[in-house]
Amino acid sequence: MGGTFDPIHYGHLVTAEEAFVRFGLDKVVFIPSGNPPHKANRSVSDGSHRFIMAQMATITNPHFDVSRIEVDEDGPTYTVDTLKRLKAGEMRDAELIFITGADAILEICSWKSPRELFALCRFAAATRPGYVVSDELIKSVSAFGADRLEFFEVPALAISSTDIRLRVKEARPVRYLLPDGVISYIIKNGLYR
Ligand code: NAP
């Protein structure tokens, strides 16, 4: 499960649990993104903060893991390279499904090496309520195999990291949008102020 997770919230956790059951997964590995090349114009919290928050949020779930594979990278990180590294190591024999938000998937045909990417994994794209999948996206993805991408709606994705960052900045409540431990971590480290 790829994402910036800045910060991780209940929408992400519900998405992961929904995907776990829906796709009959053995486990869900959260991969906080490293230096996303498409995020050059917005400051993203340090990878070590995002990794720790993801660990705190998932600690009680035995089938959730968090990987440092991207946050430990110095240069830009591309999903195709991350998946290749996973496939060359601990996940050699695994069938991979890359779970992420539908908005992130919109540009997937412009990601690095899309053909190779679709050969390495299937994609599960979580949508917020009311999201309409465009015919244009379906058409452009079909070049790589339409059955390699599936959308699924997650009502809890009404919660968003952008909204949480803004709420923290404006000292508005965030309780019940994300785990209490993560809220304490944000306050203690002065994030999003
Ligand atoms: P993003 O722009 O931060 O998020 C786009 C939208 O998707 C936001 O509404 C976001 O909501 C939602 N979202 C993101 N991750 C989610 C998740 N795991 N579950 C549910 N909703 C999610 O997206 P991003 O984090 O940059 O990219 C997502 C993944 O795609 C990352 O792993 C990234 O590395 C990968 N990616 C790769 C390339 C490439 O290889 N060239 C390019 C773009 C993205 P929240 O803000 O609430 O999370």
Side-chain angles (χ1 to χ4, degrees):
M1 170 132 156
T4 310
F5 304 128
D6 193 18
I8 192 163
H9 54 65
Y10 283 128
H12 299 130
L13 297 170
V14 172
T15 299
E17 189 65 13
E18 177 75 21
F20 179 77
V21 174
R22 188 184 180 100
F23 301 107
L25 306 178
D26 293 318
K27 63 177 174 178
V28 178
V29 182
F30 288 72
I31 304 181
S33 54
N35 298 300
H38 59 293
K39 286 274 168 76
N41 57 355
R42 124 152 153 75
S43 74
V44 173
S45 302
D46 195 84
S48 57
H49 284 316
R50 293 181 290 109
F51 173 79
I52 291 170
M53 290 191 282
Q55 267 207 320
M56 293 177 84
T58 55
I59 199 91
T60 55
N61 190 323
H63 52 253
F64 286 176
D65 276 343
V66 186
S67 168
R68 297 193 63 96
I69 192 166
E70 289 204 356
V71 297
D72 283 344
E73 282 291 300
D74 284 334
T77 45
Y78 298 95
T79 301
V80 68
D81 299 331
T82 301
L83 295 179
K84 277 201 284 193
R85 286 173 59 207
L86 290 174
K87 271 286 192 187
E90 54 185 303
M91 295 191 189
R92 188 178 308 275
D93 299 320
E95 183 191 341
L96 300 181
I97 299 187
F98 189 79
I99 310 159
T100 194
D103 286 344
I105 291 286
L106 287 180
E107 305 283 318
I108 197 162
C109 296
S110 66
W111 292 14
K112 184 181 169 191
S113 313
R115 192 163 298 282
E116 196 177 1
L117 199 52
F118 275 89
L120 280 164
C121 70
R122 282 157 57 207
F123 286 86
T127 63
R128 295 197 151 94
Y131 183 95
V132 180
V133 181
S134 80
D135 291 342
E136 200 184 338
L137 175 63
I138 300 288
K139 202 170 150 201
S140 52
V141 168
S142 62
F144 307 107
D147 58 335
R148 304 291 285 169
L149 169 62
E150 188 171 323
F151 290 86
F152 65 111
E153 187 175 285
V154 180
L157 277 178
I159 302 171
S160 93
S161 299
T162 306
D163 177 54
I164 291 171
R165 290 194 303 272
L166 193 62
R167 282 171 172 270
V168 172
K169 191 173 177 197
E170 296 174 348
R172 287 190 286 134
V174 291
R175 202 169 183 195
Y176 308 124
L177 299 176
L178 66 174
D180 288 345
V182 177
I183 297 175
S184 302
Y185 186 90
I186 290 169
I187 295 167
K188 188 171 179 184
N189 290 279
L191 302 183
Y192 317 128
R193 291 278 174 197

